[in-house]
Short mmCIF file of all heavy atoms in Angstrom, two decimals:
data_model
loop_
_atom_site.label_atom_id
_atom_site.label_comp_id
_atom_site.label_asym_id
_atom_site.label_seq_id
_atom_site.Cartn_x
_atom_site.Cartn_y
_atom_site.Cartn_z
N ALA E 89 -15.75 10.68 22.26
CA ALA E 89 -16.23 9.37 21.86
C ALA E 89 -16.66 9.36 20.40
O ALA E 89 -16.38 8.42 19.65
CB ALA E 89 -17.39 8.95 22.77
N ALA E 90 -17.34 10.43 19.97
CA ALA E 90 -17.79 10.51 18.58
C ALA E 90 -16.61 10.64 17.62
O ALA E 90 -16.60 10.02 16.54
CB ALA E 90 -18.75 11.68 18.41
N LEU E 91 -15.61 11.44 17.99
CA LEU E 91 -14.45 11.59 17.14
C LEU E 91 -13.71 10.27 17.00
O LEU E 91 -13.30 9.89 15.90
CB LEU E 91 -13.51 12.66 17.70
CG LEU E 91 -12.21 12.86 16.91
CD1 LEU E 91 -12.50 13.37 15.50
CD2 LEU E 91 -11.28 13.84 17.64
N ARG E 92 -13.54 9.58 18.11
CA ARG E 92 -12.86 8.29 18.05
C ARG E 92 -13.58 7.33 17.12
O ARG E 92 -12.96 6.64 16.30
CB ARG E 92 -12.75 7.69 19.46
CG ARG E 92 -11.85 6.49 19.54
CD ARG E 92 -11.78 5.92 20.93
NE ARG E 92 -13.07 5.37 21.34
CZ ARG E 92 -13.27 4.69 22.45
NH1 ARG E 92 -12.26 4.51 23.30
NH2 ARG E 92 -14.46 4.21 22.76
N GLN E 93 -14.90 7.30 17.21
CA GLN E 93 -15.69 6.45 16.33
C GLN E 93 -15.53 6.87 14.88
O GLN E 93 -15.37 6.03 13.97
CB GLN E 93 -17.17 6.51 16.74
CG GLN E 93 -18.06 5.52 16.02
CD GLN E 93 -17.92 4.11 16.57
OE1 GLN E 93 -17.47 3.94 17.71
NE2 GLN E 93 -18.26 3.11 15.78
N ARG E 94 -15.56 8.17 14.63
CA ARG E 94 -15.42 8.69 13.27
C ARG E 94 -14.07 8.34 12.67
O ARG E 94 -13.95 8.12 11.46
CB ARG E 94 -15.61 10.21 13.29
CG ARG E 94 -15.62 10.88 11.93
CD ARG E 94 -15.82 12.37 12.08
NE ARG E 94 -15.80 13.06 10.80
CZ ARG E 94 -15.76 14.37 10.65
NH1 ARG E 94 -15.76 15.15 11.73
NH2 ARG E 94 -15.73 14.92 9.45
N LEU E 95 -13.04 8.30 13.52
CA LEU E 95 -11.69 7.96 13.05
C LEU E 95 -11.49 6.46 12.89
O LEU E 95 -10.43 6.02 12.45
CB LEU E 95 -10.65 8.51 14.02
CG LEU E 95 -10.60 10.04 14.17
CD1 LEU E 95 -9.55 10.43 15.20
CD2 LEU E 95 -10.31 10.71 12.84
N GLY E 96 -12.49 5.68 13.27
CA GLY E 96 -12.39 4.23 13.11
C GLY E 96 -11.67 3.53 14.23
O GLY E 96 -11.26 2.36 14.08
N VAL E 97 -11.52 4.21 15.38
CA VAL E 97 -10.86 3.58 16.53
C VAL E 97 -11.94 2.93 17.38
O VAL E 97 -12.60 3.59 18.19
CB VAL E 97 -10.08 4.62 17.36
CG1 VAL E 97 -9.34 3.92 18.51
CG2 VAL E 97 -9.10 5.37 16.48
N THR E 98 -12.16 1.64 17.19
CA THR E 98 -13.24 0.93 17.86
C THR E 98 -12.73 -0.11 18.86
O THR E 98 -13.53 -0.76 19.52
CB THR E 98 -14.15 0.24 16.84
OG1 THR E 98 -13.36 -0.67 16.06
CG2 THR E 98 -14.79 1.26 15.91
N ALA E 99 -11.43 -0.27 18.98
CA ALA E 99 -10.87 -1.29 19.86
C ALA E 99 -11.15 -0.97 21.32
O ALA E 99 -11.30 0.19 21.71
CB ALA E 99 -9.36 -1.43 19.64
N THR E 100 -11.20 -1.99 22.14
CA THR E 100 -11.36 -1.86 23.59
C THR E 100 -10.15 -2.50 24.27
O THR E 100 -9.36 -3.20 23.64
CB THR E 100 -12.63 -2.57 24.08
OG1 THR E 100 -12.47 -3.99 23.89
CG2 THR E 100 -13.86 -2.10 23.31
N LEU E 101 -10.02 -2.27 25.56
CA LEU E 101 -8.94 -2.92 26.31
C LEU E 101 -9.11 -4.43 26.28
O LEU E 101 -8.12 -5.18 26.28
CB LEU E 101 -8.91 -2.42 27.75
CG LEU E 101 -8.51 -0.96 27.97
CD1 LEU E 101 -8.49 -0.64 29.46
CD2 LEU E 101 -7.16 -0.65 27.34
N ARG E 102 -10.34 -4.90 26.23
CA ARG E 102 -10.57 -6.35 26.13
C ARG E 102 -10.03 -6.88 24.81
O ARG E 102 -9.46 -7.99 24.77
CB ARG E 102 -12.07 -6.64 26.26
CG ARG E 102 -12.42 -8.12 26.36
CD ARG E 102 -13.88 -8.28 26.74
NE ARG E 102 -14.13 -7.74 28.07
CZ ARG E 102 -15.32 -7.32 28.50
NH1 ARG E 102 -16.37 -7.34 27.70
NH2 ARG E 102 -15.47 -6.86 29.73
N ASP E 103 -10.19 -6.11 23.73
CA ASP E 103 -9.65 -6.52 22.44
C ASP E 103 -8.13 -6.65 22.49
O ASP E 103 -7.54 -7.41 21.70
CB ASP E 103 -10.03 -5.52 21.35
CG ASP E 103 -11.52 -5.50 21.08
OD1 ASP E 103 -12.19 -6.53 21.27
OD2 ASP E 103 -12.04 -4.42 20.70
N LEU E 104 -7.49 -5.89 23.38
CA LEU E 104 -6.04 -5.94 23.52
C LEU E 104 -5.58 -7.03 24.49
O LEU E 104 -4.39 -7.13 24.81
CB LEU E 104 -5.50 -4.59 23.99
CG LEU E 104 -5.79 -3.39 23.08
CD1 LEU E 104 -5.08 -2.15 23.58
CD2 LEU E 104 -5.40 -3.68 21.64
N GLY E 105 -6.53 -7.84 24.95
CA GLY E 105 -6.17 -8.99 25.77
C GLY E 105 -6.25 -8.79 27.27
O GLY E 105 -5.79 -9.65 28.03
N LEU E 106 -6.84 -7.69 27.72
CA LEU E 106 -6.92 -7.43 29.15
C LEU E 106 -8.24 -7.93 29.72
O LEU E 106 -9.32 -7.50 29.31
CB LEU E 106 -6.77 -5.93 29.44
CG LEU E 106 -5.33 -5.43 29.65
CD1 LEU E 106 -4.49 -5.67 28.41
CD2 LEU E 106 -5.33 -3.96 30.03
N GLY E 107 -8.14 -8.88 30.66
CA GLY E 107 -9.30 -9.40 31.35
C GLY E 107 -9.38 -8.85 32.76
O GLY E 107 -8.62 -7.95 33.14
N PRO E 108 -10.29 -9.36 33.57
CA PRO E 108 -10.47 -8.84 34.94
C PRO E 108 -9.20 -8.84 35.77
O PRO E 108 -8.94 -7.88 36.52
CB PRO E 108 -11.53 -9.78 35.52
CG PRO E 108 -12.30 -10.25 34.33
CD PRO E 108 -11.31 -10.37 33.23
N ALA E 109 -8.38 -9.88 35.67
CA ALA E 109 -7.15 -9.93 36.48
C ALA E 109 -6.19 -8.82 36.09
O ALA E 109 -5.58 -8.17 36.95
CB ALA E 109 -6.48 -11.29 36.32
N GLU E 110 -6.06 -8.57 34.79
CA GLU E 110 -5.16 -7.52 34.33
C GLU E 110 -5.69 -6.14 34.72
O GLU E 110 -4.91 -5.24 35.08
CB GLU E 110 -4.99 -7.60 32.81
CG GLU E 110 -4.17 -8.78 32.32
CD GLU E 110 -4.96 -10.08 32.31
OE1 GLU E 110 -6.22 -10.01 32.36
OE2 GLU E 110 -4.34 -11.16 32.26
N LEU E 111 -6.99 -5.96 34.64
CA LEU E 111 -7.58 -4.68 35.05
C LEU E 111 -7.38 -4.43 36.54
O LEU E 111 -7.11 -3.30 36.96
CB LEU E 111 -9.06 -4.63 34.68
CG LEU E 111 -9.41 -4.79 33.19
CD1 LEU E 111 -10.91 -4.63 32.99
CD2 LEU E 111 -8.64 -3.82 32.32
N ASP E 112 -7.52 -5.48 37.33
CA ASP E 112 -7.28 -5.34 38.78
C ASP E 112 -5.84 -4.93 39.04
O ASP E 112 -5.57 -4.05 39.87
CB ASP E 112 -7.58 -6.67 39.49
CG ASP E 112 -9.06 -6.93 39.66
OD1 ASP E 112 -9.84 -5.97 39.62
OD2 ASP E 112 -9.42 -8.11 39.81
N ARG E 113 -4.92 -5.58 38.36
CA ARG E 113 -3.50 -5.26 38.56
C ARG E 113 -3.20 -3.83 38.15
O ARG E 113 -2.48 -3.10 38.86
CB ARG E 113 -2.65 -6.24 37.75
CG ARG E 113 -1.15 -5.95 37.81
CD ARG E 113 -0.41 -6.91 36.92
NE ARG E 113 0.96 -6.45 36.70
CZ ARG E 113 1.78 -6.97 35.79
NH1 ARG E 113 1.37 -7.98 35.04
NH2 ARG E 113 2.99 -6.48 35.63
N ALA E 114 -3.75 -3.41 37.01
CA ALA E 114 -3.51 -2.04 36.54
C ALA E 114 -4.08 -1.02 37.52
O ALA E 114 -3.46 0.01 37.79
CB ALA E 114 -4.13 -1.85 35.16
N ALA E 115 -5.26 -1.30 38.07
CA ALA E 115 -5.86 -0.38 39.03
C ALA E 115 -5.00 -0.28 40.28
O ALA E 115 -4.80 0.82 40.83
CB ALA E 115 -7.27 -0.85 39.39
N ASP E 116 -4.47 -1.40 40.73
CA ASP E 116 -3.61 -1.39 41.92
C ASP E 116 -2.36 -0.54 41.66
O ASP E 116 -1.95 0.26 42.52
CB ASP E 116 -3.19 -2.82 42.28
CG ASP E 116 -4.33 -3.64 42.85
OD1 ASP E 116 -5.31 -3.05 43.33
OD2 ASP E 116 -4.24 -4.88 42.80
N GLU E 117 -1.74 -0.71 40.51
CA GLU E 117 -0.52 0.03 40.20
C GLU E 117 -0.80 1.52 40.03
O GLU E 117 0.02 2.36 40.40
CB GLU E 117 0.14 -0.53 38.94
CG GLU E 117 0.74 -1.92 39.13
CD GLU E 117 1.61 -2.34 37.96
OE1 GLU E 117 2.10 -1.45 37.23
OE2 GLU E 117 1.78 -3.55 37.78
N ALA E 118 -1.96 1.84 39.46
CA ALA E 118 -2.28 3.25 39.19
C ALA E 118 -2.47 4.07 40.45
O ALA E 118 -2.25 5.28 40.44
CB ALA E 118 -3.52 3.35 38.31
N VAL E 119 -2.87 3.44 41.53
CA VAL E 119 -3.11 4.19 42.78
C VAL E 119 -1.98 4.00 43.80
O VAL E 119 -2.08 4.47 44.93
CB VAL E 119 -4.45 3.78 43.43
CG1 VAL E 119 -5.60 4.08 42.48
CG2 VAL E 119 -4.45 2.30 43.82
#
C-alpha cells in the first residue's frame, strides 16, 4: 500500500466506474 502511494497510484475501482452492481457481478464471476 505504501509503495503504491509512493508511486502515485491513487485510483480506486470506483474511479474506474465500478459501482455496487458491477462489483456484485465481478464477485459472482470470480467464484
Side-chain angles (χ1 to χ4, degrees):
L91 177 64
R92 191 180 66 172
Q93 188 76 22
R94 185 180 179 190
L95 297 178
V97 183
T98 58
T100 67
L101 292 182
R102 188 170 296 157
D103 294 331
L104 300 186
L106 271 61
E110 289 78 18
L111 301 184
D112 284 338
R113 177 183 165 191
D116 289 339
E117 290 191 23
V119 299

